[in-house]
Each structure stands twice: as structure tokens, then as C-alpha cells.
Amino acid sequence: MIKEKSDSSNGSKYPEQAETERRALEQRIGDQLGLGLRSTHFSHILNENPNVSWFEIISENFMDSGGRPRHMLNQIAERYPIVMHGVSLSIGSVDELDYGYLTRLKSLASEVNAKWVSDHLCWTGVMTLNSHDLLPMPMTEESLIHVCERIEKVQNYLGRPLVLENPSTYMQFKASHIPEWEFFNEMFSRTGCEMLLDVNNVYVSCFNSQTNPHEYLEKINFKHVRQMHLAGHEHCGDYIVDTHDRPVSEEVWPLFEYAWNRTEGVATCLEWDGNIPSFDAYLNELLKAKEVLLKSKVDSDTIGNDHSLSSVYDTNKHSIATPLDFLVPSMGD
């Protein structure tokens, strides 16, 4: 039996074709969505085998630990792909690289068969003192040369590309003269490293520095983005703190939608580090990403394939913070 042809003049499709495409897209999106692994969820994961495509671990939580945490991780790694995300590489520091740390990092990556290993474009200390903070780097040619040399050493030692995340920042150095997106693009070109694009951090840093997240995302070289992060933040009026203790803000979802389409769909992880909810609530927050992207697909089928940032992000709604150097005049020195 010959089916009647659908009316293609308005872009409509056969219902069966549209449903098949929707299910394929839903599966493709779901395959890329992962969660940050938190110890409070260990038992639930092992008992319930939730439908999550992969987990991201904090490298330092397992590098030097044995006992129950490592036992649980080993079991989870047998069932789910694992990626590693660190906070102590201190790639931007002027201290010597810590090869003891790198040895333990490499060993853990091998043992859990990590798909990739990431950290942050930052420094965490100097003169062997660890601040336990992800401190921003000056965006200068000198610091670019410095960090590229260190990235190449780390990549050679680990035997794999390093993936670096854009950190959330609260100040800028007056000496900085290279936009962060351009700094990243140059790092990609000079070292072959890759990026963990945290769209929440883009929003937080741009708000705090009075720069434009629209421009940041339009100019980053997306072909080098290996993974994305989503997280919640606390809006304090004149500034935003990257707290990871609440749902993703409404302002961040359009940035994610735009970035997802520019990357053509890379692995995306939801982080939650404070006031950690039940596993089901955590997973439901992650699945909002699927809802956002499926709605984007429906909209593009209905009104055209427009994934430009201006089509999803209204910059007029997002006011600029009071400058930090206005509040603390010497802060940018």
C-alpha cells in the first residue's frame, strides 16, 4: 500500500519518520550524558544499575585511597565507562611538575581504563604550598608559552592528550591581554590538548568580569572540545559563585544548547558537590539536558535550523555585574 505523501511545503515529515528520528536523537543524546560520581551514591549505583552512560570521578579522591572507596570504584568501573577529572595538576604553576602525582594519576587511569583525563587551566599553589583553590592564570603570551611547555611534558608522560577545563573566575589580572577563548585556541594549536568546556563556568566568569558569554562561545574552537560540564551556581547579585550545590540555572541552559549543537554532541557531565540530592533527583537534573536538546530539535524542524546563540540566548536579560575592581580597587593589579 502506497502511503500518502506528507505536505512537505511546511517542512512536515511522515509521522513514522519523525518518530524514528526523534528516538535516534534521544538515544544519541542519552549516550553522551554522564554524572559526577559521588560516594553517597555508591550503593545505589551498584544495587540499582541506573541507566547512566558513564561516570566522571575526581581523580584525587581515588589516587591514594584503598579500602571501600576504591573497592566501590573498581566495581562501578566494571559496569560503566569512567573519565577522570582532577583538581591538583596545577598546570599553570611555576613550581616543577610533580612527577609523583603524575605517576599516581597515570596508574589510576590505567587501572580504571579512563577514557580521558582532565584538569583545569589554573594553578593551585607555589613553592610546594597547595592553596586548594583553582587560581586564575594571567592571560599573556609569557604564561601561554609557559603552560604550553608544561602541557607537552604532561602529555608525553601520560601518553595521551590532556583535557583542560575553563575555570570559574572572579577577577582578572591587569596584565592579561589575551581573551580566554583565544588563549585556549592557541593552546589547542600549539600542543594538541583538548578542552573540557564548562558552560556554567563560561556564564559565571563572564558575568563576574563583565564580558560576553555570547562572544566566548562563538569564538572558541569547538573541534577541540572533548567534553562539557553542567553545574549550578549561586547568584549573589553583583557576582556569581560557582557552588555546584543546586540545579543548573535557567541562564545556562541556552548556552549548553548552543555549545552542544556546535560540537555536534559531545560527552556532557553534570557536577553536584554540595547539598548533594538523592541519586534519582541528580539523574533527573541531568536528563533536563535531553529535554532541552529534544525541544531544540523540534523547534528547528518547526521554525528552521537556527542554532545561533542569538536565537537561544537573550543577552538583554543578563545584566552585567558590578565590577570587582570597583568594589576592591587594587584587585586587578
Side-chain angles (χ1 to χ4, degrees):
M1 180 177 179
I2 299 175
K3 296 180 180 177
E4 291 185 3
K5 187 177 181 181
S6 64
D7 179 6
S8 60
S9 61
N10 63 358
S12 63
K13 300 175 179 176
Y14 294 114
E16 296 84 354
Q17 179 187 358
E19 179 60 17
T20 299
E21 291 181 359
R22 190 196 68 80
R23 289 182 179 178
L25 176 62
E26 186 173 5
Q27 181 64 50
R28 186 166 70 85
I29 296 169
D31 289 345
Q32 299 300 321
L33 298 181
L35 283 173
L37 181 64
R38 303 297 179 254
S39 60
T40 189
H41 299 141
F42 282 166
S43 296
H44 179 91
I45 294 168
L46 292 175
N47 291 333
E48 304 297 331
N49 290 313
N51 185 20
V52 179
S53 293
W54 53 279
F55 285 102
E56 178 188 83
I57 65 170
I58 302 299
S59 306
E60 290 79 4
N61 287 350
F62 300 96
M63 285 168 56
D64 301 312
S65 68
R68 182 176 184 274
R70 190 57 186 275
H71 175 66
M72 303 299 269
L73 173 61
N74 290 343
Q75 293 182 75
I76 292 170
E78 291 177 356
R79 306 181 191 182
Y80 298 91
I82 299 292
V83 306
M84 290 169 50
H85 184 52
V87 294
S88 298
L89 177 59
S90 199
I91 194 70
S93 176
V94 294
D95 279 355
E96 293 293 324
L97 286 169
D98 184 346
Y99 281 93
Y101 172 90
L102 290 174
T103 298
R104 299 193 301 278
L105 187 71
K106 185 176 183 179
S107 176
L108 179 62
S110 174
E111 291 167 16
V112 300
N113 191 27
K115 299 305 179 184
W116 56 85
V117 176
S118 68
D119 206 290
H120 301 78
L121 177 63
C122 71
W123 57 290
T124 58
V126 69
M127 299 177 68
T128 72
L129 298 175
N130 191 337
S131 70
H132 299 288
D133 279 316
L134 306 176
L135 303 171
M137 291 184 59
M139 299 283 106
T140 66
E141 180 62 27
E142 182 181 16
S143 64
L144 178 61
I145 293 171
H146 171 73
V147 77
C148 285
E149 290 175 350
R150 289 165 66 89
I151 289 171
E152 289 184 336
K153 290 178 181 177
V154 170
Q155 291 183 149
N156 289 336
Y157 190 81
L158 296 180
R160 61 170 77 205
L162 185 61
V163 183
L164 289 173
E165 176 182 339
N166 55 302
S168 54
T169 56
Y170 306 91
M171 56 165 283
Q172 290 182 317
F173 291 93
K174 284 188 174 179
S176 294
H177 60 86
I178 303 175
E180 186 176 284
W181 53 264
E182 184 178 332
F183 198 93
F184 266 98
N185 288 345
E186 279 298 315
M187 287 195 328
F188 304 149
S189 175
R190 298 184 190 189
T191 70
C193 73
E194 298 175 312
M195 185 179 197
L196 196 172
L197 177 62
D198 189 317
V199 288
N200 178 62
N201 287 356
V202 170
Y203 183 77
V204 170
S205 296
C206 287
F207 186 92
N208 289 338
S209 66
Q210 306 177 77
T211 54
N212 192 334
H214 184 147
E215 180 182 23
Y216 190 112
L217 290 183
E218 287 195 332
K219 293 186 174 178
I220 202 74
N221 190 339
F222 276 91
K223 74 177 183 180
H224 297 283
V225 175
R226 169 59 72 97
Q227 180 192 336
M228 289 197 289
H229 264 168
L230 287 164
H233 62 243
E234 181 178 3
H235 202 306
C236 302
D238 288 336
Y239 59 95
I240 299 177
V241 180
D242 183 26
T243 50
H244 294 194
D245 63 351
R246 63 197 66 199
V248 178
S249 77
E250 292 303 317
E251 291 80 7
V252 169
W253 285 117
L255 302 178
F256 165 69
E257 177 189 337
Y258 173 79
W260 171 275
N261 286 310
R262 287 290 306 275
T263 62
E264 298 181 354
V266 295
T268 300
C269 173
L270 173 66
E271 298 179 293
W272 205 311
D273 297 299
N275 302 320
I276 298 174
S278 69
F279 188 88
D280 288 340
Y282 192 20
L283 179 57
N284 285 338
E285 183 65 16
L286 173 68
L287 294 180
K288 287 182 183 176
K290 186 184 294 186
E291 296 174 11
V292 167
L293 297 172
L294 289 174
K295 182 179 184 303
S296 170
K297 178 64 168 58
V298 170
D299 289 347
S300 68
D301 286 348
T302 304
I303 61 177
N305 188 29
D306 183 3
H307 294 307
S308 65
L309 191 53
S310 59
S311 72
V312 297
Y313 187 81
D314 183 355
T315 54
N316 292 324
K317 293 181 179 177
H318 308 283
S319 59
I320 297 300
T322 300
L324 286 176
D325 59 359
F326 170 78
L327 299 171
V328 188
S330 62
M331 199 162 191
D333 292 338

